Amino acid sequence: MITPLVSPLVSPLVSAALAAHPLGNFSVNHYDGLTIHRDRIEHVAIVDSAEIPTLQETVRGSVDAHARRACARLRDTVEGTVEGRPLAWRVTETSFAYQAGAAGLRTSRLTCRLSAPLRVDRPLTLTFANAHRAGTVGWREITARGDGVRLSASSVPAHSVSGELRDYPADLLRSPLDVRQARVTVEPGTGDAGTSVTVPGVDIVTRYTALLADRLNTLVGADRLTVPLGMLALFLSLLLGAVHAAMPGHGKTVMAAYLAGRDRRLRDTVAVAATVTATHTAGVLVLGVLVTLTASFTGEAVLSWLGVASGLIIALIGVGLLRSARRRDSTPGHGHDHGHGHGHGHGHGHGHGHGHGRRSGGVVALAVAGGLVPSPSALVVLLGAVALGRTVFGVMTVVCYGLGMALTLLTAALALRKLGDLALLGRLQRLRPYSATMTATLVLLVGTGVTLRAVAALV
Amino acid sequence: MSSIRRSLPLLVCLLLGCVLLALYAPGGALRRDEPPPQQAGRSPYDLAGSIEDAQNRLRGHPDDAAAWAGLGFLYLEQARRTADGAYHAKARGAFERSMRLPTGDGEPYIDAVIGMGALANAGHDFAGAVRWAERAREAAPYRWPLYGVLIDAHLELGQYQQAESTLRHMLDGRPDFASFTRAARLERVHGRPGPARELLHRACEIAGDPAEYAFCQGQLGDLAWHTGDPRAALTAYAEALAADPGHVPSQAGRARAQAALGHVHQARRGYASLVARAPSFVVEYGELLEHLGDRAGARRQYAVFTAQHKLLAAAGNADHLAMGTYEADHGDPDTAVRHLRAEWKRRQSIEVADALGWALHRAGRHAEAATYAARAERLGGHHALFAYHRGEIEQALGHTASARAHLTRALSLNPHFSPAGAARARELLAATA
C-alpha cells in the first residue's frame, strides 16, 4: 500500500503543462539524433527550453553568437566513444530561435549539428551520453540510425516518438522519456538492427529448445537444489543435448549418414558417440574457463572459429572418403570390412592408428568435429551454475548434455542403417556400389557448407 | 575392440557417477557456496521503476481501480520530488479513472478519493481537500491516510483546532511516520521546538525509505535553522541529501545555512543549481544576491519569479500568498495588500496573517498592520521573521519599547533569519538604544 502524502508540508505551487511541454514550463528537453555514416557520425542536438529556463538563460549579443556559444557548451558535455576511444566532435551548424509560449512568455529551441570522423570498416561499438544540463527536469530522448551502414544492435530506437521535440505524446500510462545514454553496434552493410534471418521450420524447434533451456537455467539457479530437482535438471540437459544434436548444422547429422553408409558394428558407433560427448564436454569446459577468467574474451568469436575448424575437418574427411570410395570402386571386393573394424578400435582406444588407421582416424576426427562447437545453451547453463557456486553440478549438466547429443547420433545412425537395409533390398540394390561415393559427397558438401557459414559469421 | 570394451565401462561409470552425485550431493557439491543473490525485482525506492510496473500492469488490466489509484499516488510523489507540475495532471487523470471504475458497493475506490484530496492540497485548493477527505472519512473512517490529507488542509487553512483534534485521532489510530511528522509540525506552530525535535527523531527512526528519511532530516534541519543553529541545520541537511540527493528543500536549506555561516560562494553555487530545477527558491536567491550587492543578478531572479506567477495566473491557479509576499518586499505594497486580502478571505493562517500585516505596514497602514501581526503571534507563529515584522510595525507606530522587545526576540530566535532583515533589526536596536 502506498502512503498518500508522506510529507505534511504543502509544496510550493508548480504550474502544470500549459503549452506543449510535457514537464511543465520550467523543463529543458533534449533530443539527440545520431546518424552513423561510413566515414562519420552526425549528431543533431535539439534543446527545447520551456518558458522559465528560456528566461533564465540570458542571451547576450546576437542570437547567432548565442547559438554558437551554447552549442560549444553542449559539445563539451556530450560524450561519444568508439571502441572505448573518445570521438572528436566538431560543431558544424547552429541555430537558436524563440517561440511564443504561455502567458505572453517565450520558449526557445536550440539546434546544434555536430559531426565526428569515424571509419566503419568492421563491427564497432559506439557509446553516447549527453550530460548537458543534467540537473534539469525534462524529456530526454536519443535515436540512432545508420546511413550506408548497418546497426546490428542499438539500445535506442531509430525514430523519435516526439517528432524531435515538437509533439510530446500525452498518455496516462507513459512517463516522459529520460534516456541519457545510448549504445550502438554498427557494421558495414545496409539494413536495420535485428534483421537476422530466421528459417521458419527451425523456428518452432528453437522456441521449444529455448523454453527447455530456460527451465534448466531456473532449475540450476533454484534456491534449494533437492535430489529430484537435480535429477530433473540432469534429465533436461540430456534432452536438450539430444534436441541440439538433431538440429541442422554443426556437422553432427553428417555423422549419422557416415555411420549408416558403412557397415559398422554397434560398438564402433558407441565409441563415436563417446568421442562426441567427450569433445563437447571438454570444449564447453575450456570455453567456460576462458570466459570466466578473462573478461575481454569474446565467446562469439571463438565459437565462430571453432565452427570453421569443425567444418574444415568434416570437409577434409569428405575428401578422404571420396578418395577411398574411388579406390574401392576400382578394386571391388577388397577385404575392407575386416580391416576396418580392427583399425578403428585401436585408433580410438590408443589415440593413434596403425594399418588402416586412416579410416578410423576419420571416424574419430568426425566425432571430434561433431562435438567441437560447444552449444551456447550448455555454456550458459555452465556459467550460470559457476556463478551460483555450483560448479560441479554445472559440469555434470554439461556431461549429460554431451550424452544427450551422443544418444541422438546413435539413434539416427541405427535408424538410418535399418532404413538402408530395407531400401537396399528393393530396387535401390543397384545403387549399392555408389553408396560410398554418395556418402562421401554428402559429407564433403556438408563440411563445405558448415565452413562457409562459420566464415560468413566471422566476417 | 578391447579398447571399446574398456571405454564402455568408463561411460557406464560416468553415468553412474552422475546419478550418485545427484543422489548424495545435496549436502555437498550441489549446495551453493554463496548466499542466494537478491531477486532482480524493483527496490521499493525506485520510484520511476515502480511507476513503470504500475503502467505495465494497467496496460494488461485497465479496469483495476486499485492500480489506477496506486499509480496516481506514484505520480503525485514524483511531482513532489521533481517539483514537476505535469505529474499533477497525470495523477488527476489516474485518480479520476480509478473513481469511474465500478467497485463492489457502488462507491468509488476510496484511495482514489483520498488521492483527489492530496492532489487538491498540492494544488493549494485546501477547502477542496477538506471536502474530499470528509467524503473519504464518511465512506471509510479507518483509512488512516485520509486524516493526513485532512490535517494538512486544516493547517493551511488556519483551522488549528480541527487540525489538532484530527491529529489526536490519527495518532491514536495509527502512530506512524505520517502522524509523527504532522504532530511535529503542530508543535512547531505552537512554538515548542523540543517536542517537535523529539517527534521528528522518532519519525526518522521509523522512516520507511530514503525519501521519508530525507524528509524528516530536512525537517530537523529546518527546526535547527529556525532555532538559530545553522551548523546543526547543515548537518541535518547533509544527512537528508545523503539519503536522497534530489531532495530540493534540503538543497535550499543547505544553501541558506551556508550563507548564514559566511560560505557565500558555496551558497551561491547551491542556489544557482537549485533554481535551475525548482524555481520556487528564486526570490530567496535574489535576496541573497541583492544583499551581496549583485543587483542585476537579483533582478534576473525576480524576473523569473514574476514570469512563473504569470504562468500560474494564466492557468487560473494564482498563488496569492507568494505573490503578495514578493510584492511587499520587492514590488508594489498596494498590489501586495490586494493579493493578501484575497488570500485572507480564503484562509486565516499564521503565514497569511503575517504577510498581510507586513504588506499593510509597507503600504503605510501601520495600525491595521499591527492587528494582523498581533493576530499572527496569537495564533502561534514563533518565527524570527514574524517577530521582526512585528518589531518594525511597532517601531513605525512609535512604540519603541515594544519594538525593541520584538526585534530582540527575533534575533534571539534566529540571528540569521534573513540576510537583510537581521542586519536591519540590529541597526534599529542600535539606533534606539
Side-chain angles (χ1 to χ4, degrees), chain A residues 368-388:
Chain A
V368 167
L372 192 59
V373 182
S375 122
S377 53
L379 189 62
V380 167
V381 170
L382 174 70
L383 290 179
V386 170
L388 291 170

Side-chain angles (χ1 to χ4, degrees), chain A residues 22-23 26 135 172-174 222 345, chain B residues 3 32 59 75 83-84 86 277:
Chain A
L23 290 169
F26 58 96
L172 269 186
L173 289 184
R174 187 174 290 176
Chain B
S3 66
R32 63 179 63 172
R59 270 187 212 110
Y75 281 148
D84 170 6
R277 284 187 51 200

Side-chain angles (χ1 to χ4, degrees), chain A residues 18-21 24-29 47-63 66 96-110, chain B residues 303-304 306-308 310-311:
Chain A
L18 283 177
H21 293 105
N25 35 41
F26 58 96
S27 62
V28 181
N29 307 287
V47 184
D48 178 25
S49 300
E51 290 85 351
I52 298 293
T54 299
L55 189 75
Q56 282 172 323
E57 184 107 1
T58 43
V59 174
R60 287 193 206 86
S62 74
V63 167
H66 173 75
F96 180 83
Y98 285 115
Q99 283 153 340
L105 295 164
R106 298 184 294 183
T107 66
S108 64
R109 192 175 169 93
L110 173 74
Chain B
V304 171
T306 319
Q308 193 201 345
K310 234 194 224 169
L311 287 165

Side-chain angles (χ1 to χ4, degrees), chain B residues 30-87:
Chain B
L30 291 196
R31 196 172 55 195
R32 63 179 63 172
D33 329 310
E34 288 166 41
Q38 283 297 309
Q39 270 297 310
R42 301 276 182 212
S43 95
Y45 322 131
D46 178 8
L47 190 56
S50 307
I51 288 179
E52 213 180 297
D53 286 349
Q55 290 171 339
N56 286 336
R57 163 153 185 90
L58 284 166
R59 270 187 212 110
H61 305 86
D63 293 333
D64 189 340
W68 276 109
L71 180 64
F73 280 116
L74 289 171
Y75 281 148
L76 207 55
E77 177 64 16
Q78 186 75 303
R80 202 181 59 77
R81 201 178 282 183
T82 58
D84 170 6
Y87 279 104

Side-chain angles (χ1 to χ4, degrees), chain B residues 55-388:
Chain B
Q55 290 171 339
N56 286 336
R57 163 153 185 90
L58 284 166
R59 270 187 212 110
H61 305 86
D63 293 333
D64 189 340
W68 276 109
L71 180 64
F73 280 116
L74 289 171
Y75 281 148
L76 207 55
E77 177 64 16
Q78 186 75 303
R80 202 181 59 77
R81 201 178 282 183
T82 58
D84 170 6
Y87 279 104
H88 283 158
K90 277 183 183 296
R92 180 180 304 279
F95 288 136
E96 280 170 354
R97 185 78 187 261
S98 174
M99 287 201 299
R100 274 204 305 276
L101 290 168
T103 53
D105 51 3
E107 287 285 315
Y109 191 69
I110 199 67
D111 279 0
V113 178
I114 301 173
M116 287 302 286
L119 195 64
N121 267 338
H124 287 202
D125 173 17
F126 305 114
V130 170
R131 279 196 299 277
W132 283 110
E134 292 292 359
R135 182 172 160 191
R137 172 145 72 174
E138 266 168 42
Y142 293 104
R143 203 85 182 114
W144 298 107
L146 77 88
Y147 295 103
V149 173
L150 197 54
I151 295 167
D152 293 346
H154 282 315
L155 281 172
E156 292 298 328
L157 286 169
Q159 298 160 348
Y160 299 105
Q161 298 289 325
Q162 287 101 312
E164 190 138 13
S165 62
T166 312
L167 175 70
R168 215 168 293 131
H169 185 63
M170 191 185 181
L171 275 171
D172 289 345
R174 178 157 299 193
D176 63 356
F177 184 87
S179 45
F180 284 164
T181 47
R182 287 179 172 92
R185 190 171 168 212
L186 252 171
E187 293 292 350
R188 275 180 61 191
V189 166
H190 293 314
R192 294 191 287 266
R197 193 175 297 120
E198 207 167 289
L199 279 161
L200 284 172
H201 276 303
R202 275 167 76 183
C204 277
E205 274 164 24
I206 57 169
D209 65 43
E212 286 189 354
Y213 186 73
F215 174 79
C216 66
Q217 283 294 341
Q219 287 288 291
L220 278 169
D222 286 353
L223 195 61
W225 167 257
H226 284 299
T227 48
D229 189 353
R231 260 172 239 285
L234 214 50
T235 317
Y237 293 135
E239 188 96 344
L241 290 171
D244 180 5
H247 193 240
V248 169
S250 291
Q251 288 175 348
R254 185 175 59 185
R256 201 178 299 136
Q258 280 166 342
L261 292 170
H263 309 313
V264 179
H265 286 292
Q266 288 177 22
R268 281 180 76 152
R269 255 209 315 280
Y271 273 123
S273 77
L274 179 61
V275 296
R277 284 187 51 200
S280 20
F281 296 94
V282 279
V283 176
E284 202 179 309
Y285 182 30
E287 281 168 358
L288 176 68
L289 290 175
E290 197 170 350
H291 183 66
L292 295 170
D294 181 1
R295 284 182 170 282
R299 263 201 303 281
R300 273 205 299 280
Q301 301 308 320
Y302 298 151
V304 171
F305 176 87
T306 319
Q308 193 201 345
H309 284 269
K310 234 194 224 169
L311 287 165
L312 277 174
N317 211 357
D319 185 349
H320 292 295
L321 177 58
M323 284 162 87
T325 309
Y326 167 77
E327 288 290 343
D329 282 326
H330 308 288
D332 171 28
D334 290 320
T335 315
V337 170
R338 222 176 29 252
H339 280 304
L340 289 165
R341 277 204 205 280
E343 192 68 6
W344 183 253
K345 268 195 205 113
R346 282 180 62 213
R347 51 185 182 136
Q348 292 82 44
S349 74
I350 300 168
E351 291 80 14
V352 181
D354 165 74
L356 180 53
W358 182 242
L360 285 165
H361 160 72
R362 298 282 289 182
R365 281 174 264 177
H366 306 303
E368 197 184 354
T371 61
Y372 283 103
R375 189 149 178 187
E377 200 176 314
R378 208 168 46 248
L379 282 169
H382 297 263
H383 202 293
L385 185 68
F386 300 173
Y388 160 70

